[in-house]
Amino acid sequence: MIKLILTDIAILTVVSVFFAILLVIAQRFLSNYGILKININGKRDVSVKGGNSLLSSLSEEQIFIPSACGGRGSCGACKCKVIEGGGPLLPTEKPLLTKAEMDSGIRLACQVKVKTEIKIDIPESIFNIRRFKTRIAKIEDYTYDTKGITFELLEPGTISFKAGQYMQLETQPYGKVKQKVVRAYSISSGPQNDKQFQLIIRLVPEGMCTTWVHNYLKEGDEVYLTGPYGDFFIRDTDADIIFVAGGSGKAPIKSMLEDLEVKGTDRKMTYFFGARTTKDLYLTEYMQHFEQVLPTFQYIPVLSHPSADENWNGRTGFVMPFFKEVMRDPKNTEAYLCGSPGMINAVTKALVEMGVPTEKIYYDSFG
Ligand SMILES: Cc1cc2nc3c(=O)[nH]c(=O)nc-3n(C[C@H](O)[C@H](O)[C@H](O)COP(=O)(O)OP(=O)(O)OC[C@H]3O[C@@H](n4cnc5c(N)ncnc54)[C@H](O)[C@@H]3O)c2cc1C
Ligand code: FES
């Protein structure tokens, strides 16, 4: 009896091993797509190894499609037009695409796999995005959870960007984290200094990139970033400006103000900085110096949860009720918002209710 059972187990094991080997061989052959061509804008062909995402295949060729969430399929930044060869639309893409986008062949480059020759259309501006080798020149503590980090450019040695744009930072494996990740960070310094730039990075508990930045990165380390990305920059009009950004959302606004300090402007501008307590305030004196050099600018910090012992005598609560103090003509007002999706939604709703046209509300959502 025992002999019979053992024979059965042996036969079963041999059969399982046989099918497992067959599966591995089949997978090897089926997923070996060979070298495939991606045709870009009907002008240029690049040859890539098939089977990888369109996003990573292009990045191997030094063509950097924006990918603020690092290819996780949650930001929608990597949208591009696939004319031929993208395969069927995937369930992971649908939540981030409108009906019109789906109908016109827009896809998420991080989700589309290159399994056959593909034809795509991407904006020419993408070819200006570069990968930079940098060295950390300075790390400054702004608050208990927020650091300012200055990157000195090594190769290429200079960068050209618009105030408000962002970079994508690549981490290195650290501690128990074996893989590299990519995350988006707005440039916080003005574009006049083209040999270095600064980012302001707030620690997210358990966050893969921010833990690396806060706990492992040191002055002198070499770091790679790609960029510049994005269309969050001040439009060239005469409209009044309302900036709203709390936490590390201050980064692109600081860059814009440094740029305006050099260029000069007489536009009426107000920056509402929302924070919980005085512990979350930073660069306050630096923001106040812009009130001196840009006489039409005002900096208004608003605390939502100051405690009695903080002796805070500034504005408290949400920032929205204070907009009416500075709003002259809603129709001729632009808003630049930066931070969490929740804050952006709430502030946009309040501004639209006050009469600010939706198309004049610009934002970078950090979510
Ligand atoms: C265009 C753009 C510009 C950005 N600019 C900046 C900037 O200038 N400074 C800056 O500090 N960040 C900025 N961010 C956010 C940044 O890209 C990362 O999402 C953030 O630093 C978290 O990365 P992580 O790898 O540490 O966390 P992850 O490992 O990605 O996340 C860990 C956990 O925290 C949650 N989480 C992720 N992000 C946040 C958050 N911001 N707050 C609360 N919970 C979160 C996630 O849902 C997850 O559960 C920007 C994002 C975008 C899209
Ligand atoms: S990179 Fe964020 S959705 Fe594709």
Side-chain angles (χ1 to χ4, degrees):
M1 182 65 179
I2 291 177
K3 202 175 164 194
L4 206 66
I5 292 172
L6 284 176
T7 313
D8 282 352
I9 291 173
I11 291 170
L12 212 67
T13 311
V14 170
V15 170
S16 310
V17 169
F18 173 75
F19 277 110
I21 292 170
L22 208 66
L23 202 70
V24 170
I25 293 170
Q27 263 180 349
R28 210 190 162 97
F29 277 98
L30 288 176
S31 60
N32 184 2
Y33 300 98
I35 300 297
L36 296 168
K37 232 190 281 168
I38 304 178
N39 177 272
I40 306 169
N41 298 351
K43 292 181 192 161
R44 172 176 171 187
D45 287 333
V46 291
S47 297
V48 303
K49 189 169 164 283
N52 297 318
S53 75
L54 180 57
L55 181 74
S56 60
S57 304
L58 290 172
S59 137
E60 287 290 312
E61 296 300 309
Q62 304 297 303
I63 299 168
F64 301 107
I65 306 272
S67 52
C69 71
R72 290 179 293 181
S74 61
C75 69
C78 64
K79 285 176 190 175
C80 75
K81 186 164 183 156
V82 177
I83 299 162
E84 220 175 274
L89 196 67
L90 301 170
T92 45
E93 298 177 82
K94 288 182 185 169
L96 290 168
L97 298 174
T98 63
K99 168 91 175 54
E101 285 174 334
M102 291 183 213
D103 292 346
S104 62
I106 302 292
R107 303 288 303 270
L108 297 185
C110 68
Q111 302 299 305
V112 172
K113 289 266 183 298
V114 182
K115 294 181 180 171
T116 168
E117 305 220 329
I118 290 194
K119 282 189 182 169
I120 59 168
D121 265 358
I122 54 176
E124 290 291 326
S125 58
I126 283 182
F127 298 112
N128 296 329
I129 298 168
R130 297 264 170 282
R131 185 166 185 260
F132 293 90
K133 180 179 178 183
T134 69
R135 183 182 294 120
I136 304 292
K138 195 154 76 162
I139 301 183
E140 294 162 272
D141 282 317
Y142 284 155
T143 72
Y144 60 98
D145 69 352
T146 302
K147 289 183 191 288
I149 299 167
T150 305
F151 297 78
E152 175 199 351
L153 294 163
L154 300 178
E155 181 60 44
T158 59
I159 185 169
S160 166
F161 65 93
K162 286 185 184 163
Q165 288 193 295
Y166 68 91
M167 302 293 289
Q168 292 185 180
L169 173 68
E170 302 172 11
T171 67
Q172 294 299 324
Y174 64 91
K176 287 186 182 146
V177 178
K178 300 292 172 235
Q179 80 266 42
K180 299 180 178 191
V181 296
V182 173
R183 297 285 185 269
Y185 295 98
S186 307
I187 302 173
S188 55
S189 49
Q192 279 73 24
N193 185 348
D194 64 357
K195 295 190 178 50
Q196 59 178 44
F197 59 84
Q198 192 209 37
L199 307 179
I200 295 177
I201 300 186
R202 186 176 194 180
L203 181 67
V204 169
E206 311 289 318
M208 289 176 78
C209 179
T210 54
T211 301
W212 178 68
V213 169
H214 277 250
N215 299 347
Y216 290 83
L217 212 54
K218 305 178 303 301
E219 289 177 0
D221 284 356
E222 287 182 0
V223 176
Y224 287 87
L225 303 100
T226 57
Y229 299 94
D231 52 9
F232 184 64
F233 50 82
I234 297 186
R235 277 27 182 201
D236 190 13
T237 69
D238 65 354
D240 291 353
I241 294 179
I242 287 183
F243 298 110
V244 185
S248 55
K250 183 175 269 176
I253 314 300
K254 174 175 172 285
S255 175
M256 290 170 176
L257 291 169
E258 289 187 4
D259 190 30
L260 289 170
E261 177 176 355
V262 175
K263 292 179 176 160
T265 180
D266 55 7
R267 292 173 71 173
K268 179 177 162 62
M269 302 180 290
T270 316
Y271 176 11
F272 291 94
F273 179 77
R276 275 181 69 80
T277 70
T278 49
K279 281 202 213 120
D280 301 296
L281 298 177
Y282 66 99
L283 291 177
T284 305
E285 279 179 22
Y286 187 58
M287 289 293 124
Q288 284 163 344
H289 113 273
F290 288 113
E291 295 181 332
Q292 307 304 316
V293 293
L294 294 165
T296 53
F297 172 73
Q298 196 185 358
Y299 180 62
I300 304 183
V302 182
L303 295 188
S304 59
H305 294 80
S307 59
D309 57 6
E310 286 183 287
N311 295 322
W312 174 250
N313 48 25
R315 293 166 181 79
T316 53
F318 290 119
V319 293
M320 287 85 90
F322 302 106
F323 295 164
K324 59 178 182 300
E325 284 181 21
V326 300
M327 185 89 71
R328 296 193 295 194
D329 173 9
K331 294 268 168 289
N332 194 34
T333 297
E334 284 168 8
Y336 295 86
L337 323 176
C338 198
S340 70
M343 179 282 272
I344 288 171
N345 287 342
V347 171
T348 300
K349 187 167 173 283
L351 288 166
V352 170
E353 277 168 13
M354 291 179 84
V356 177
T358 320
E359 64 278 12
K360 291 190 180 175
I361 302 173
Y362 305 96
Y363 59 84
D364 244 357
S365 169
F366 282 9

